[in-house]
Amino acid sequence: MSEPTLTADGLETYLHCPRRYEFAHVHGLEGEDDDASHDRVDLLRGAICTALRSGATDRERLEEIAGERLSELWASHDEPFHSRTQRNHERAVLDAVLEAYLEAVGADHAAGIEGLEAPASELVGPALPLASTRSLPEGSDPERVRIDATVDYVTLTESSLVGVSFVPTLAPLGLLRYRSDWEGDVAALFADHFDSGSEVFEPRAVGALLETSVVVDGLRRLRERLGLEAKTCGYVQVPLADRNRTAVNWVQDTVDATVEPTDLTDVYLDHHTYAMTHEHRNETVDSRLVDVASDVLAGSFDPTPRWDEIASESCPDCGYAVGCQDRLAAEVRFDG
């Protein structure tokens, strides 16, 4: 019997609300999503990955290739704008972000990709697949589960094999953006999220840590195939639609942007190494990853244990809320 397959994105959906997961991943229902920033990130993702697959490492050449591909993608981009001026402005923002990405890490990452002896198809996506197989608790049927995740590309730094994902902003990471150690605030946030008696509800931050666990384990498989056992593994998110890092000069009609990546493996992994080759994984995150996967496979989709937090935090932006029996029941419930 083949092992079942889940996804890191799906597990984060489950953390937001088990019922949302049921609608989206069990019944395959389409939810409403009108966030244009995701579509714009997809445009940049496609353009940047095209440049990285080209083998170019010179920044000017990378910008030329990515810019040409962005122009092609933009020509067929059908996002509704209220005016041509707005459309031109949003294109200028994309150009500025592309330039900022290449300045921050893009050229260095391209050189790192070139340093890996592997086909570009194994190293550059978009949506480059990684997988991690985990053992479920004793007596479970099935005994193991495969969890998939994707990154946009893999690159080599001086010390690490790094998976890189493009995201709209780093805001969903919450506290993880400002902490580089597990002990203390991050450990407390993670534990409290799973405590039904706590008001702490951080599905995005917790989901990012579970995703990091999957990505790092998947990178270890790639690392072995590439013969890079002496390298550690890292996971970096790069924001491409952070308006707080975009400055517009309306007088001169210019846009400036900065891009600041975040390395999630600063938090997820302890800073202990064994034989200078492997970093000790954080067992708390890994064990919770297995717990959540087990609940999903068991069909535990009742949101009641955390309903108050789900109703206030997850329901307002949920594309399934209008047809959710739990939400409707709460709306018409009589007190007393």
Side-chain angles (χ1 to χ4, degrees):
M1 178 180 176
S2 62
E3 58 201 19
T5 299
L6 303 175
T7 67
D9 282 345
L11 295 185
E12 182 178 329
T13 299
Y14 187 88
L15 293 174
H16 279 275
C17 176
R19 195 68 73 197
R20 185 189 294 189
Y21 179 93
E22 183 183 22
F23 286 137
H25 296 275
V26 177
H27 301 308
L29 300 177
E30 293 285 343
E32 296 180 2
D33 183 8
D34 56 358
D35 189 349
S37 66
H38 288 86
D39 293 334
R40 295 173 195 166
V41 169
D42 282 341
L43 295 176
L44 285 170
R45 175 182 285 115
I48 292 170
C49 286
T50 296
L52 294 176
R53 280 196 301 271
S54 72
T57 58
D58 178 79
R59 179 183 162 182
E60 291 184 359
R61 180 57 179 153
L62 287 166
E63 188 168 4
E64 179 184 359
I65 296 171
E68 289 175 355
R69 181 56 179 154
L70 181 58
S71 294
E72 294 172 357
L73 295 171
W74 186 252
S76 59
H77 183 57
D78 61 355
E79 179 183 341
F81 295 104
H82 61 67
S83 65
R84 181 173 294 278
T85 299
Q86 185 196 12
R87 182 180 177 89
N88 291 339
H89 169 70
E90 294 301 342
R91 172 59 197 273
V93 170
L94 294 180
D95 289 335
V97 172
L98 173 59
E99 182 179 355
Y101 159 78
L102 292 172
E103 171 70 24
V105 294
D108 290 338
H109 285 183
I113 293 170
E114 185 186 41
L116 289 168
E117 296 182 2
S121 59
E122 279 193 59
L123 303 176
V124 182
L128 188 71
L130 296 171
S132 174
T133 299
R134 305 296 174 107
S135 297
L136 296 173
E138 185 176 353
S140 298
D141 184 21
E143 298 179 349
R144 297 167 68 81
V145 61
R146 170 178 157 172
I147 306 174
D148 289 346
T150 61
V151 295
D152 287 303
Y153 61 89
V154 175
T155 188
L156 184 67
T157 67
E158 184 176 344
S159 61
S160 300
L161 185 69
V162 179
V164 180
S165 287
F166 295 125
V167 296
T169 78
L170 299 177
L173 298 181
L175 188 66
L176 300 183
R177 300 173 64 185
Y178 312 107
R179 299 293 187 272
S180 58
D181 293 311
W182 170 261
E183 297 298 335
D185 292 340
V186 176
L189 176 149
F190 191 83
D192 290 345
H193 173 85
F194 290 102
D195 181 358
S196 60
S198 168
E199 294 183 357
V200 174
F201 187 70
E202 295 286 347
R204 291 182 175 87
V206 172
L209 288 168
L210 299 188
E211 179 188 28
T212 302
S213 177
V214 175
V215 168
V216 168
D217 197 43
L219 286 172
R220 286 188 170 120
R221 309 288 84 76
L222 178 60
R223 179 183 63 185
E224 292 171 3
R225 294 201 304 273
L226 297 175
L228 297 172
E229 288 80 0
K231 300 290 185 180
T232 56
C233 294
Y235 179 44
V236 169
Q237 289 190 352
V238 179
L240 297 181
D242 189 345
R243 293 292 178 171
N244 292 325
R245 293 191 168 276
T246 302
V248 182
N249 186 323
W250 296 106
V251 175
Q252 298 182 2
D253 194 25
T254 59
V255 179
D256 292 315
T258 57
V259 169
E260 185 176 346
T262 287
D263 188 342
L264 286 167
T265 39
D266 285 343
V267 171
Y268 167 69
L269 295 181
D270 291 335
H271 300 293
H272 304 295
T273 59
Y274 294 89
M276 302 302 291
T277 58
H278 296 283
E279 294 204 20
H280 177 58
R281 283 193 286 179
N282 189 287
E283 295 179 358
T284 302
V285 175
D286 290 346
S287 63
R288 280 298 185 183
L289 174 64
V290 171
D291 291 343
V292 174
S294 297
D295 289 343
V296 170
L297 293 175
S300 302
F301 302 130
D302 182 2
T304 300
R306 297 301 304 267
W307 176 251
D308 289 342
E309 291 78 19
I310 289 171
S312 61
E313 300 292 336
S314 294
C315 287
D317 65 352
C318 179
Y320 304 98
V322 294
C324 174
Q325 63 267 40
D326 301 282
R327 177 71 169 175
L328 295 175
E331 290 291 322
V332 300
R333 181 176 57 199
F334 292 97
D335 294 328

